Amino acid sequence: ANGWQAIIYDRSGLDFLPFDDHPNVHTVLLPKAEIAIEQLALLYELVQRRLAILRQLRTSTWDRINLPSGTPHPGPRILVVIDEFANLADALEGKQREALWRVARMVAAEGRKTDIHLALGLQDPSHKSIDLRIRRNCTSVAFRVKDPDASRLVLSATGAEKLQDRQFMVVFDKLVRGVAFAP
């Protein structure tokens, strides 16, 4: 709620029900996987518009925008959550699947400058479900995973396989353990 907007893309429409009435959250139901490609393409268009604003203001990142007093900021920080991303990709064939990964990579790579951030949820991480170019542009966070190999894949370290409910591990400069909020 502190200046952020969240956009949640969810296939079932059930997992994020506690946020339905939150003023800073917009949930988009994805009854067909193809809709995710369209939605991410629209998000990438927003990234491009924001990059144009940064060029116009001669500022390198969204959080460095310095406007005269009383001038409204051109937009909030945005967190985009895509639940079950690997399953979403698996529901698509060939060119559509590649289009989903391509547009997700573009948003992940260029969105950070414009304060548009992706959170891609993976139920069962594997080398096939985590695109290396997306991984390089994201902060890795893991809740409990099934085994040390999955932990190493996500965090480049073991330990996530031993986490309790609502605990997580994240890699910043070092591996950090935390406890998540349960709505």
Side-chain angles (χ1 to χ4, degrees):
N2 188 13
W4 285 79
Q5 291 288 315
I7 304 169
I8 300 171
Y9 295 100
D10 188 19
R11 292 189 72 191
S12 70
L14 300 173
D15 295 326
F16 297 94
L17 289 173
F19 299 104
D20 272 358
D21 295 325
H22 195 288
N24 294 40
V25 177
H26 179 70
T27 303
V28 178
L29 190 61
L30 300 173
K32 295 181 182 179
E34 298 83 8
I35 296 171
I37 300 167
E38 298 165 13
Q39 290 293 315
L40 283 174
L42 290 171
L43 189 62
Y44 186 68
E45 288 176 15
L46 177 59
V47 168
Q48 293 303 305
R49 287 193 301 274
R50 285 184 170 202
L51 287 172
I53 291 169
L54 289 174
R55 283 189 297 273
Q56 180 183 0
L57 296 173
R58 303 186 57 73
T59 303
S60 61
T61 60
W62 204 249
D63 62 342
R64 291 185 177 165
I65 290 176
N66 190 10
L67 298 169
S69 181
T71 305
H73 197 279
R77 300 176 83 181
I78 299 173
L79 174 63
V80 179
V81 178
I82 305 175
D83 196 26
E84 300 288 355
F85 189 78
N87 288 346
L88 187 66
D90 286 345
L92 299 168
E93 298 291 331
K95 288 184 180 185
Q96 286 186 320
R97 181 185 172 105
E98 179 50 37
L100 178 70
W101 280 106
R102 182 178 52 77
V103 72
R105 284 190 299 265
M106 291 166 32
V107 171
E110 297 177 53
R112 290 174 305 158
K113 282 184 179 289
T114 66
D115 259 351
I116 296 176
H117 306 274
L118 285 180
L120 304 177
L122 302 170
Q123 195 70 349
D124 187 18
S126 70
H127 287 287
K128 291 182 179 181
S129 66
I130 300 178
D131 181 278
L132 184 58
R133 288 174 284 180
I134 288 179
R135 184 177 174 172
R136 287 180 180 155
N137 286 293
C138 293
T139 299
S140 296
V141 178
F143 289 88
R144 185 176 48 230
V145 295
K146 67 180 178 179
D147 57 42
D149 290 336
S151 181
R152 266 190 298 278
L153 181 67
V154 175
L155 301 171
S156 299
T158 60
E161 72 280 2
K162 298 176 185 173
L163 293 172
Q164 301 299 312
D165 286 346
R166 295 189 357 233
Q167 289 183 336
F168 65 90
M169 295 177 89
V170 62
V171 178
F172 289 124
D173 292 335
K174 61 181 181 174
L175 194 60
V176 178
R177 185 184 294 242
V179 178
F181 171 74

